Structure formats: structure tokens, C-alpha cells
Amino acid sequence: RDLHSFPTRRSSDLSFKGGVGFVYTWKQNLEETKEHFNNAGIMNGYNSTESYYRQRYRINVSIGATYAPSKRWQFALKETFQYNHYNSGDSVCRTKYRYNDDDELYAISDRKAVEAKDKMLMRSKFTVAYNIKGLPLNPFASVEYCAGQGNTERWKYTGGLDFRVNKQNKLTVFYRYQTTNDDEDPNGHIVGWAYKFDF
């Protein structure tokens, strides 16, 4: 994922690092249903879009600083510019559900092609990590703010545990709460794990 990382300055307790990354994804967008409101702001039905697949290309450029005041504590700040390109997709069924004057729900369906789109984001992430003496465990917590086109605004709060198997292998388990749903991740509560191998 990260094509290259390069240190720009390093001291005993402060280091800087930059990176460039590229990600290709064949992504499924799950079926989505949203409430529909009329011009008066009154909910009068739903819009439903069926599930579909399409390709996504992502390029990101980042720079970060890490400060370690002791052998146990570590503080890191990372700034990332992210560009996403979504290819067009096959036509999908979109259904409009509306209430008539008798409060009965009726449906109107059609098929529309999924248009290509581009999306740019800026992400700021602050992380605190602690090394437990005598154990290969590093608990950590982070907060990330993301802002971009189309009034995109999202917060991610993450807490987890790194388990260092050896110098090359690391396993991470984490819990995350994300405030806003979008094309990248669902909102709400997420539990996950990751494995990292260093060459």
C-alpha cells in the first residue's frame, strides 16, 4: 500500500516521515435506503438503490511527526492528502417510494448508470501509544478528523492494542467509532484487526 517512506530528519526523541501510497479496490456498494423529504421539509417516502460493484483508485501523500519523550510514551501527528477516483458502474435499479394522499406507499422504479466521480480529502490524525514494560504490547488511542469536497466531515475515534510478535511481525486489534457514513466506511461502531509484516 505504501510505495515509499523516507525519513526527513531524526533525533533521539523526534522523527519526521513522509509517504506516498496507491490503492486499487474492486468495491461493492451495499444496498442503500434513504428518507426523502419534500420542499416543506416533511418526510414523504424513501429512495432505495440496489447493491452494485465498481473500481476505485486512491492516491495519498502524507507527512508525519513522532515525538517520544521516553521509552514508554509516543505521540504522533500525521497529515494526509487523499485523492479518490471512482470508475463508472453498471446501471442499477433505483426505486422511489412515496406516500399518496391516503398515506399509502407506492413505488416508481427505473435504472440509471452509476457515474464516475472524483473525491479529495484532507485527513489529520493524532495518536498516543504506550509501551508496557516487559511485555510486547503497546496500547494506543487516536482521533482523526477528515474534511473534503461536498461538505464531507468525519471524525474517527480509535483505541486498540499492538502485539509485537518479533521485529518483522505485528498484530493489531482495535475498536473504532466513526461519526459519519460514506463511501469509505460505515458509521457507528467497528471492531477489527490488522497484521503487518516489515521487510
Side-chain angles (χ1 to χ4, degrees):
R1 181 171 180 170
D2 291 325
L3 299 181
H4 184 64
S5 294
F6 45 92
T8 56
R9 178 190 167 194
R10 189 170 185 86
S11 66
S12 59
D13 57 5
L14 181 65
S15 63
F16 297 88
K17 185 171 67 173
V20 177
F22 173 78
V23 180
Y24 167 79
T25 306
W26 179 256
K27 189 175 186 297
Q28 180 188 22
N29 288 67
L30 300 178
E31 182 177 348
E32 184 179 39
T33 300
K34 291 184 177 179
E35 296 179 343
H36 182 271
F37 296 86
N38 60 21
N39 293 333
I42 299 173
M43 198 273 283
N44 65 344
Y46 306 87
N47 290 339
S48 179
T49 303
E50 69 179 5
S51 174
Y52 62 93
Y53 289 87
R54 67 171 165 177
Q55 300 174 78
R56 183 192 70 191
Y57 302 89
R58 173 185 291 175
I59 298 172
N60 59 67
V61 179
S62 63
I63 185 169
T66 301
Y67 175 62
S70 69
K71 294 182 179 180
R72 302 293 166 216
W73 289 98
Q74 188 177 83
F75 303 89
L77 180 64
K78 183 179 180 182
E79 300 291 332
T80 302
F81 170 77
Q82 181 176 295
Y83 166 75
N84 296 305
H85 174 74
Y86 299 82
N87 281 5
S88 58
D90 296 331
S91 62
V92 298
C93 180
R94 303 172 189 262
T95 305
K96 298 179 181 179
Y97 297 93
R98 298 292 183 267
Y99 291 102
N100 60 22
D101 294 335
D102 297 323
D103 284 336
E104 295 175 338
L105 198 64
Y106 66 94
I108 302 173
S109 297
D110 61 0
R111 299 192 70 86
K112 292 185 178 180
V114 179
E115 297 180 354
K117 72 174 183 177
D118 299 288
K119 187 175 182 180
M120 289 182 286
L121 300 169
M122 287 297 299
R123 303 169 64 172
S124 300
K125 183 177 181 180
F126 177 72
T127 303
V128 179
Y130 181 76
N131 177 258
I132 301 177
K133 186 177 181 180
L135 294 175
L137 300 175
N138 295 322
F140 67 89
S142 69
V143 58
E144 182 178 50
Y145 174 71
C146 176
Q149 294 172 301
N151 296 320
T152 299
E153 189 174 33
R154 181 172 69 243
W155 288 90
K156 290 182 181 180
Y157 305 93
T158 305
L161 194 66
D162 286 333
F163 173 66
R164 178 66 70 175
V165 181
N166 52 42
K167 290 183 178 181
Q168 291 181 305
N169 297 274
K170 183 175 73 172
L171 180 66
T172 301
V173 292
F174 66 90
Y175 161 79
R176 174 176 297 151
Y177 176 73
Q178 181 168 291
T179 59
T180 305
N181 182 68
D182 66 2
D183 291 332
E184 307 301 320
D185 297 298
N187 64 335
H189 307 278
I190 302 169
V191 176
W193 65 276
Y195 170 76
K196 183 177 181 181
F197 176 77
D198 293 323
F199 292 96

